[in-house]
Amino acid sequence: MIRFEHVTKRYAERGDALRDVSFTLEPGEMAFLTGHSGAGKSTLLRLIGLLERPTRGRLSVAGQDLGALGRRQIPLHRRRVGMIFQDHRLLPDRNVFDNVSLPLLAAGMHPRELGKRVRAALDQVGLLRLEHALPTSLSSGEQQRVGIARAVVARPPVILADEPTGNLDPALSREIFHLFERFHQVGVSLLIATHDLELIATQGHRTLRLHQGRLVADSGNW
Ligand code: ADP
Ligand code: ADP
């Protein structure tokens, strides 16, 4: 589902954020991405979401070589990849329903169908009753669940999460991971960047570890 072949990302002023990274994430696979701050985790996720382009190497998602996609095809690609951020990135002046509907509006979906899909996504994360609330009135865990609903509403085959539980206490973190498990069970491919080694240890999923931009371990033995 995701294939990196000798991918390097260089920032002029900082050197290589990723160096010669190769791996494959199979369809339906759920894996963690770990490593110290600055190891390259966010960069790797941003390349998959086409928020950035690699300096060298090849990268494909769902069989599509991303190097072959032009600028106008990027919005379509982004709908295939749901992204979840630590800081949620919700629009503060739009209510929960409107925030979650953004990817579908961008896709030009009919309002009736859109309403159904947004409510189905809110129901999945247990927030149906809060559809009219503004994000600022919600707890941190609720805001993160809105971010997750927005990431899944267009039913992408791939979900990426960048430190999704970074601001949450252990009980809320487990709730969020429980949601990820449910997407995993219905066949979504997930790549989750996290520092939370304790949680990773309890999960038994594949773990990719980055160190200074290199992929130094794959699986549980780090
Ligand atoms: P992580 O997510 O593991 O903390 P990042 O991918 O954010 O790591 O960063 C990897 C390295 O690349 C760091 O040295 C960071 O400062 C650098 N970096 C990330 N984004 C940029 C950018 N847009 N411009 C320059 N350097 C960057
Ligand atoms: P996060 O990992 O929480 O998404 P980052 O700190 O990696 O946040 O990046 C936030 C923004 O700042 C991104 O657009 C990234 O490209 C940019 N950025 C990160 N590190 C650097 C850096 N060293 N120099 C310039 N821009 C950076």
Side-chain angles (χ1 to χ4, degrees):
M1 182 57 72
I2 296 173
R3 183 189 293 273
F4 274 62
E5 292 173 79
H6 303 291
V7 171
T8 290
K9 175 66 182 178
R10 170 163 296 173
Y11 292 111
E13 68 276 34
R14 295 293 294 252
D16 293 346
L18 287 179
R19 294 183 207 183
D20 196 23
V21 169
S22 299
F23 70 92
T24 301
L25 189 81
E26 301 297 337
E29 196 172 10
M30 172 164 166
F32 291 109
L33 180 64
T34 189
H36 295 296
S37 184
K41 303 182 295 297
S42 297
T43 300
L44 189 150
L45 297 182
R46 289 201 297 266
L47 291 175
I48 299 170
L50 267 183
L51 306 177
E52 316 229 22
R53 298 279 193 176
T55 310
R56 280 197 302 278
R58 261 165 72 97
L59 171 50
S60 65
V61 176
Q64 171 71 56
D65 175 3
L66 300 193
L69 289 182
R71 280 230 312 265
R72 276 180 306 168
Q73 291 159 302
I74 290 179
L76 181 67
H77 172 72
R78 297 240 176 97
R79 289 202 288 276
R80 292 197 288 249
V81 178
M83 293 193 79
I84 296 160
F85 304 94
Q86 175 173 0
D87 57 3
H88 327 308
R89 307 204 184 167
L90 303 175
L91 298 178
D93 57 341
R94 308 276 188 91
N95 70 23
V96 166
F97 182 98
D98 289 344
N99 266 282
V100 174
S101 67
L102 288 174
L104 303 181
L105 280 177
M109 184 177 281
H110 190 276
R112 197 165 341 131
E113 175 68 9
L114 179 143
K116 267 196 238 164
R117 293 277 287 269
V118 170
R119 291 195 181 91
L122 286 174
D123 193 28
Q124 277 183 304
V125 300
L127 285 184
L128 207 41
R129 75 206 145 78
L130 291 177
E131 64 173 293
H132 301 298
L134 286 175
T136 45
S137 71
L138 304 180
S139 71
S140 198
E142 287 166 344
Q143 289 185 32
Q144 190 53 292
R145 285 189 281 154
V146 177
I148 293 171
R150 183 187 53 192
V152 302
V153 73
R155 299 184 190 162
V158 177
I159 294 176
L160 308 176
D162 195 352
E163 298 286 354
T165 62
N167 293 322
L168 304 179
D169 67 36
L172 284 173
S173 299
R174 277 194 298 275
E175 257 181 48
I176 297 295
F177 275 99
H178 186 63
L179 281 174
F180 290 152
E181 284 285 352
R182 293 208 337 237
F183 296 126
H184 173 52
Q185 280 159 12
V186 297
V188 176
S189 310
L190 294 102
L191 189 57
I192 303 161
T194 182
H195 280 109
D196 195 343
L197 297 182
E198 212 172 303
L199 202 60
I200 291 175
T202 66
Q203 300 286 320
H205 289 289
R206 180 178 176 192
T207 302
L208 301 164
R209 186 159 69 100
L210 288 170
H211 180 69
Q212 296 179 354
R214 289 185 186 280
L215 187 58
V216 292
D218 190 344
S219 218
N221 40 354
W222 65 87

